[in-house]
Amino acid sequence: MTGTRQVRPDASSATLGKAADENFPVAPFFLPRAWRDDLMAVYGFARLVDDIGDGDLAPGGADARHLGVAPEHAEDRLALLDAFETDLLRVFDPAGGAPRHPLLRALGPTVERCRLTPEPFLGLVAANRQDQLVRRYETYDDLLAYCELSANPVGRLVLALTGTATPERIRRSDEICTALQIVEHLQDVAEDLARDRIYLPAEDLKRFHVTEDDLARPTAGASVRALIAFEADRARALLDAGTPLVGSVHGRLRLLLAGFTGGGHAALDAIAAAGFDVLPGPPKAAKRSLMRRAGAVLLTAGREG
């Protein structure tokens, strides 16, 4: 398999530049250079497929052109996702030719060296395809099934990149990744609603007597705040359940996973500090809070590891 890590700035810098806005550091400085490169290659894929699904691609249509999508279909998200999946499979099948998109070409060396399989990547594509077809989730179990596609593959890829995957670690990783996805949904309630998506389970809206009109208000009333607090508690419990993953690994990987987990806790702290009113905009954690929470996760991991 051939490939290069050199990504043309005009094609992909906007996508990769979004790493700085995530709740947790994607490829922090303390990791070995090879790990940072691999994590950014996977992040480039994951961010791009999310941007396709959300309609947040860089203006100008470069991504559609790279994927061979005709200009008249450049706004068709399902057509873009289909073309992206086809291009992704070229990464795993050298006989099919080199991938067209530069971010997928950059992914090739990582896939080859770490012997990654296509399943986690295909899961992320499937999640974004589901976003185009499913706008509401009736039950919490329905939402968990979505997170199995939209979030859990990311943690599994991190374990695969670092050669540390075991069944127990995968289970703990899934808990953390699902929690992080729920946290993101809580932060983005207003933004998601503007896209006609609601990730809060309908059964919970009914339980707390929250209507879609309530979610569209500029600030949250008491019922919405109670609902967000309830979902935040669920996410916190998942983070706590997954924390033993951090203590099961060592060295710099432990620091990385503590950063992911601490980032989730810090984001939940920010939501709580906002009085669980997420409607004016996403509550964001300060860097100091993230560092403090990551340190607390490390202390817990040290006692349990």
Side-chain angles (χ1 to χ4, degrees):
M1 179 181 299
T2 60
T4 175
R5 293 187 180 281
Q6 297 302 314
V7 177
R8 283 167 40 190
D10 62 328
S12 304
S13 59
T15 300
L16 294 173
K18 294 181 181 181
D21 297 326
E22 303 292 348
N23 281 331
F24 45 82
V26 174
F29 70 92
F30 56 78
L31 295 178
R33 176 61 183 270
W35 281 13
R36 296 203 309 270
D37 287 345
D38 288 339
L39 287 167
M40 286 305 296
V42 169
Y43 174 79
F45 163 86
R47 183 70 267 165
L48 181 58
V49 73
D50 279 354
D51 286 350
I52 293 173
D54 291 338
D56 284 342
L57 292 174
D63 293 297
R65 289 194 296 274
H66 282 304
L67 295 172
V69 175
E72 61 267 27
H73 298 300
E75 301 298 323
D76 185 335
R77 298 181 193 178
L78 286 172
L80 285 167
L81 287 168
D82 288 345
F84 187 71
E85 184 174 284
T86 297
D87 206 32
L88 167 67
L89 293 176
R90 294 187 181 102
V91 176
F92 296 91
D93 180 14
R100 295 176 176 178
H101 199 288
L103 284 174
L104 292 179
R105 290 199 297 273
L107 182 63
T110 293
V111 166
E112 183 176 28
R113 183 174 58 259
C114 299
R115 299 181 180 180
L116 303 181
T117 63
E119 285 76 19
F121 298 96
L122 292 171
L124 293 172
V125 176
N128 280 276
R129 190 176 284 118
Q130 183 168 314
D131 276 335
Q132 313 313 309
L133 305 172
V134 180
R135 302 287 181 168
R136 306 291 189 273
Y137 291 86
E138 181 61 32
T139 69
Y140 183 60
D141 285 343
D142 292 339
L143 182 64
L144 293 181
Y146 169 75
C147 292
E148 181 71 21
L149 296 173
S150 68
N152 298 358
V154 176
R156 296 183 181 204
L157 283 167
V158 170
L159 295 177
L161 291 175
T162 55
T164 55
T166 67
E168 175 66 12
R169 285 173 178 157
I170 288 171
R171 183 174 70 84
R172 299 292 190 184
S173 171
D174 286 353
E175 290 168 330
I176 292 171
C177 289
T178 291
L180 295 176
Q181 179 73 89
I182 292 172
V183 170
E184 184 176 328
H185 289 161
L186 297 182
Q187 291 175 309
D188 294 341
V189 167
E191 180 181 333
D192 289 334
L193 185 61
R195 293 185 169 121
D196 191 29
R197 296 178 191 163
I198 297 178
Y199 293 102
L200 301 168
E203 64 180 7
D204 296 341
L205 269 70
K206 294 173 186 175
R207 174 180 176 180
F208 286 90
H209 306 289
V210 172
T211 67
E212 293 191 16
D213 287 342
D214 293 330
L215 299 180
R217 298 182 185 281
T219 59
S223 58
V224 172
R225 292 172 188 249
L227 169 61
I228 298 301
F230 173 74
E231 305 296 355
D233 284 345
R234 277 178 159 170
R236 186 87 75 182
L238 282 169
L239 283 176
D240 289 340
T243 294
L245 170 67
V246 182
S248 76
V249 299
H250 303 282
R252 297 178 187 185
L253 180 57
R254 180 177 285 193
L255 292 177
L256 178 67
L257 298 183
F260 291 161
T261 309
H265 280 294
L268 288 170
D269 291 345
I271 290 170
F276 301 101
D277 184 3
V278 297
L279 300 187
K284 294 291 186 180
K287 185 175 181 180
R288 178 181 297 180
S289 175
L290 192 155
M291 297 298 291
R292 179 175 59 82
R293 275 296 194 172
V297 171
L298 282 172
L299 286 176
T300 300
R303 291 194 294 267
E304 296 178 350

